[in-house]
Amino acid sequence: MTKINEFKKIIKNLNFDGVTRNLDELGRIVIPRVYRQDIYNEGTYVYVQTIEDCVIIADKNEFDTGIKKTLDELGRIMIPKEIRKSLNWNFRDLLMIWDVKNILIIKKLEGESIVCKKQEEPNKYICESW
């Protein structure tokens, strides 16, 4: 199985036990401290790459298409403009972050409940049943 197919399988089976963050006005996202651990510290070089509708952040160039970026002193990473544009990510969009074996997967929440994944009102992320 190729690496891309492995990631597609992981992405398909993600549950909603990740951490949510908003994209800031400069296209940055704060990586949760618990996910940074010893790998993602200030000044660490990482590779930002896409697969399907997700961004993958890893310390290795997993698909040979990664864009090299560094984490700042607050644990933020800037998602390149061309990636944000292709995925239709904008300022204040709510993103979910998962740590899968020290590889970060980020996906935009598209108006679906983080509890039951049902489509609710636009930009409403907790369903009425919750």
Side-chain angles (χ1 to χ4, degrees), residues 74-119:
L74 299 176
R76 296 175 299 195
I77 186 83
M78 197 273 297
I79 307 298
K81 187 175 186 175
E82 55 271 12
I83 291 176
R84 294 192 319 264
K85 188 175 180 179
S86 72
L87 296 175
N88 195 29
W89 288 12
N90 300 297
F91 173 48
R92 291 194 180 131
D93 279 347
L94 188 62
L95 307 173
M96 183 72 78
I97 306 170
W98 295 269
D99 178 8
V100 180
K101 299 178 185 176
N102 293 326
I103 294 173
L104 304 177
I105 300 173
I106 306 172
K107 183 176 181 178
K108 179 180 174 180
L109 291 178
E110 297 278 0
E112 61 189 18
S113 168
I114 62 174
V115 178
C116 65
K117 296 179 79 175
K118 289 182 182 173
Q119 291 292 330

Side-chain angles (χ1 to χ4, degrees), residues 54-72:
C54 296
V55 166
I56 308 295
I57 297 177
D59 60 342
K60 298 179 185 75
N61 197 353
E62 296 291 339
F63 312 123
D64 298 324
T65 59
I67 299 171
K68 195 173 187 179
K69 292 288 180 183
T70 57
L71 267 75
D72 70 10

